[in-house]
Amino acid sequence: MSRLAQTAGLTDVQQEILSTVRDFVDKEIIPVATELEHRDEYPQAIVDGLKELGLFGLMIPEEYGGLGESLLTYALCVEEIARGWMSVSGIINTHFIVAYMLKQHGTQEQKDHFLPRMAAGDIRGAFSMSEPALGSDVSAITSKAVKDGEEYVLNGQKMWLTNGGTSSLVAVLVRSDEGHPEGTAPHKSMTTFLVEKEPGFGEVRPGLTIPGKIDKMGYKGVDTTELIMDGLRIPADRVLGGVTGRGFYQMMDGVEVGRVNVAARGCGVAQRAFELGVRYAQQRHTFGKAIAQHQAIQFKLAEMATKVEAAHAMMVNAARKKDSGERNDLEAGMAKYLASEYCKEVVEDAFRIHGGYGFSKEYEIERLYREAPMLLIGEGTAEIQKMIIGRRLLEEYRFQG
């Protein structure tokens, strides 16, 4: 166990879960991650191992067959998994956002139907907000649901679905004007639909096509896809929560959990980069001594370790705030912003410590260097986080003049 990124006040159960996950990461993920990543291969054996450990049910309540653990436990597990390979943490993140949205907002029938099979890992979740021309402007969604008898007909194109191919349940946010008069604020006329589908690519159910994997710079192994709806018919009982017009709020609640997750991923990747950097600095010799003995390298290691520690502390604080039932958008935004920026900087410093070898695909740091940038844009860009943080600060510190 390393000195850095320790978490005070954990229960024996939490410590046991984390110890099991760390052991799994060290034995089953780190030795194969770089090879699988270079082949852009889905880590099926790793996913099966996570399923066996019960991690797909980590935050799902015990009454539905899950472990009923806190967001903090989940975030600390994500940190460990991202330390091994960030793509694997992405596979469980989207699953958990959907499970969390079901737990918080689903009808009793929806919870009973989906959560036990999600806890077992038999149903894998994905969620879909973004569209090709959308970026961070969720209010500009154009995909639409129109009521037709006891069903809704969905049309439109969605973008950037993590697990788009491998998932069997997608929470899709679309515009639904039914019951909302002309001029209603955009965020009040959106609905989340629970779309069941077959895993795979092509037409995965009538009216629903997953074209194929998007080729990416990093974050490989996990499939990132588009989703095209063309006359997709969804029964009314698959509106999340049973009422239209609440989709935006449901998605934002899920994304708060997702932002803590991205912060945890940043912490995990930064920890691994520090481990690689501090180890290499003690092995590599120049001018007659290990480069770790050069003050320039010691300064880098000091800065890297401080950033790892600070990001971890903020991530833990954001998770604990959500677990306490309090609003945590400010803390989650700050944690996500800081952890992703620090992750990029720690990875770059580890890359510099490796010198020319950092540019070689033989060395793990090369993979981390391509993975870190995704955290700067996933679950809302750094600029969006700063907007959220700024607005919330102005609410909290409103000038009474």
Side-chain angles (χ1 to χ4, degrees), residues 70-99:
S70 63
L71 177 59
L72 176 63
T73 311
Y74 170 58
L76 294 173
C77 287
V78 165
E79 184 179 41
E80 292 292 352
I81 291 166
R83 187 184 138 262
W85 184 14
M86 194 179 79
S87 294
V88 179
S89 64
I91 291 168
I92 60 173
N93 178 39
T94 52
H95 176 83
F96 264 103
I97 289 177
V98 178

Side-chain angles (χ1 to χ4, degrees), residues 161-181:
L161 272 80
T162 301
N163 291 330
T166 45
S167 59
S168 43
L169 174 66
V170 187
V172 182
L173 186 66
V174 298
R175 189 170 300 291
S176 57
D177 296 329
E178 173 227 0
H180 306 289

Side-chain angles (χ1 to χ4, degrees), residues 34 38 276 280 354 357-368:
T34 297
H38 287 168
L276 295 171
Y280 185 81
H354 279 74
Y357 289 107
F359 215 60
S360 162
K361 281 189 176 286
E362 274 183 58
Y363 282 75
E364 195 178 331
I365 193 63
E366 180 272 342
R367 168 170 65 81
L368 270 54

Side-chain angles (χ1 to χ4, degrees), residues 1 18 108-109 140 291 304 308 319 321 338 354 361 382 400:
M1 202 66 173
L18 284 174
Q108 194 57 54
E109 184 274 331
I291 63 171
M304 291 160 72
V308 165
K321 192 110 176 175
L338 190 88
H354 279 74
K361 281 189 176 286
Q400 304 294 331

Side-chain angles (χ1 to χ4, degrees), residues 252 255-257 259-260 263 314-315 317-319 321-322 326-339 382 384-397:
M252 289 305 108
V255 165
E256 273 185 27
V257 173
R259 284 181 179 146
V260 173
M314 286 195 77
M315 179 272 289
N317 179 51
K321 192 110 176 175
K322 186 85 169 173
E326 295 178 74
R327 183 176 177 182
N328 87 329
D329 55 344
L330 177 65
E331 290 77 12
M334 284 180 164
K336 192 271 175 189
Y337 167 58
L338 190 88
I384 288 291
Q385 306 312 316
K386 287 191 271 190
M387 277 171 52
I388 292 166
I389 294 163
R391 285 173 186 165
R392 286 288 287 116
L393 289 172
L394 288 171
E395 281 178 34
E396 295 286 341
Y397 292 88

Side-chain angles (χ1 to χ4, degrees), residues 50-124:
L50 294 176
K51 185 175 168 180
E52 223 168 277
L53 290 178
L55 281 191
F56 282 101
L58 192 62
M59 268 180 75
I60 294 173
E62 290 179 18
E63 65 196 275
Y64 299 107
L67 297 176
E69 273 296 330
S70 63
L71 177 59
L72 176 63
T73 311
Y74 170 58
L76 294 173
C77 287
V78 165
E79 184 179 41
E80 292 292 352
I81 291 166
R83 187 184 138 262
W85 184 14
M86 194 179 79
S87 294
V88 179
S89 64
I91 291 168
I92 60 173
N93 178 39
T94 52
H95 176 83
F96 264 103
I97 289 177
V98 178
Y100 174 82
M101 286 166 63
L102 271 162
K103 181 185 79 167
Q104 295 296 105
H105 306 288
T107 64
Q108 194 57 54
E109 184 274 331
Q110 289 167 352
K111 293 179 198 177
D112 292 341
H113 182 76
F114 290 113
L115 288 179
R117 288 187 290 158
M118 291 186 83
D122 297 332
I123 287 181
R124 303 276 169 73

